[in-house]
Amino acid sequence: MIESYLLKHLAGYIDGQWVEADSGKTADVFNPANGKQLAAVPYMGADETKRAIAAGRAVLPDVPDVDTRREWLEDTRDALLAEKEEIGRILCLEHGKPWKEAQGEVEYAASFFDYFAGTMADALAPETLPEKAKNCTWTVHKRSIGVAGLITPWNFPIGMIAKKIAPAMAAGCPTVTKPATETPLTMIAMFQLMHERLDLPKGMINLVMGSSSDIGGELMRSPDVPMISFTGSTGVGQLLIEQSKDWVKKLGLELGGNAPFVVLDDADLESAADNLIANKFRGAGQTCVCANRIYVQSSVYEEFSNKVIDRVKALKVGDGMDEDVNIGPLINQAGFDKVKDHVADALSKGAQLEAGKHPDELDASKSLFYSPTVITQVTHDMKCCKEETFGPLVPLIPFETDEDALKFSNQTEFGLASYVFGKDEARADRIVANLHFGHCGYNTGTGPAAHAPFGGMLQSGVGREGGHDGLMEFIELQTVPNGS
Ligand code: NAP
């Protein structure tokens, strides 16, 4: 079992109190590196969620001013950075990612508190419009949208909540957060820090964990929650869209991806290969911005493939707590079996296994460590091109012309991240401008950052996180024409 001074309470947090589930039920949390139980946390449902919403609703009229809220953000940033090692250790144990990566995620989370603390005063100031018709002065106020429901996935246990709760607090929104079942511990640690170090009014932040359908259902049913910010699969996002109609709720949806990574014949192949490895194997390939389909112009296909294969063979897989490990385990059996299925499907349709193990040698019931895998001669009818693999698989697909690269890249219903590598800027610009993806790295595999709006097109979602736009997700504009 996990021991940590940041986990004094293995509990939910409602109306300023640490609370168990009404039923007394708990859910076990496991370390994916060894299958051992780390903790048992409350398994809550609709009733606890109702109380959390009511607590948020009650505090709404008394939410403090911008200066106080800015201090909350600064104090949270400082607390996260001061406790980076311990939070990173908890994160590494429940998620499995290498501990350096886990600590990097804590810094990433802190950067969102820092960014919104630094920009919120200007961003939230009312705007006076020039006098136009009707001899009125027009003022646009930025009002808090009210209580916000925040639902997060397991792949960035602290990064994803930071992107939501930092702008929500900046905007003055009380929140009800539901973490993923696999990774509640990092979130509990963050709530403990906020509970101890911030002078928050009761009900300002609430944490419920347990039945996703009961908690999610209550958040969607309640007229007191006008906004839901969700990160996760497109399937659940679509369900939330259906459930939001009765109250016409505002939804921020950060959903699945299927990222193309295009290597043009004039690219710096060394740099492109390094960027691909860093991008693809972050979180063992379980990130929404991981390159999923790697398109390489045929004249450099062999050379680039060899560079990638050499690099992948040098990666070390193991327990994230071991210092020199590059790739940890996958999160669970379903995730493992999906990667295995994609590799088996590709091999059965003619792809070549260039690095990694044959799927027949891998068994999730024995271990969740999946060997980083490279396959060549990949074609578009294979599952790894059509679906998000969410694991350490590099499928290399040759293409002939720029038009082909664009056509193949856009051949998906998703539109989250994409990447283009090539020296000729005008040529690459033409491709970038025609990609239907909210994020397009040019000569970089870099993902989102606190100061930049990030989000998806098409079935990858609606709305943006990060940057000014990320704050505005939690704001209602109120326009006041003043005739006096
Ligand atoms: P998921 O199954 O959709 O779960 C995400 C969250 O939704 C979890 O907290 C889950 O709870 C909850 N949930 C499940 N069913 C629900 C329901 N009926 N009502 C309300 N909440 C519900 O996704 P995941 O497997 O954790 O995450 C992987 C997916 O997230 C991938 O597709 C990835 O691309 C996407 N993702 C997108 C972004 C982005 O920025 N666009 C970032 C990260 C991940 P339980 O854990 O209790 O089931």
Side-chain angles (χ1 to χ4, degrees), residues 175-194:
T175 49
V176 178
T177 294
K178 186 224 161 290
T181 296
E182 280 91 347
T183 56
L185 301 178
T186 313
M187 190 89 82
I188 293 174
M190 189 181 96
F191 268 70
Q192 183 179 317
L193 284 174
M194 291 166 110

Side-chain angles (χ1 to χ4, degrees), residues 151-155 160 178-182 210 212-213 216 230-233 236 239-240 254-257 288 388 390 416 454 460:
I151 305 176
T152 57
W154 48 264
N155 65 342
M160 291 299 153
K178 186 224 161 290
T181 296
E182 280 91 347
S212 53
S213 52
F230 168 83
T231 301
S233 60
V236 174
L239 176 72
L240 299 183
E254 298 290 335
L255 308 178
C288 56
E388 186 184 34
F390 232 52
L416 193 59
F454 174 82
S460 288

Side-chain angles (χ1 to χ4, degrees), residues 49-58 147 176 218-219 222 224-225:
T49 311
K50 259 186 208 154
R51 292 203 295 279
I53 295 169
R57 185 74 192 82
V147 179
V176 178
E218 192 56 41
L219 289 170
S222 171
D224 289 332
V225 182

Side-chain angles (χ1 to χ4, degrees), residues 122-130 137-142 468 472 477-480:
D122 285 345
L124 296 175
E127 216 177 313
T128 304
L129 303 180
T137 313
W138 295 75
T139 308
V140 182
H141 294 277
K142 281 104 186 233
H468 177 79
M472 289 304 124
L477 297 179
Q478 185 185 46
T479 307
V480 181

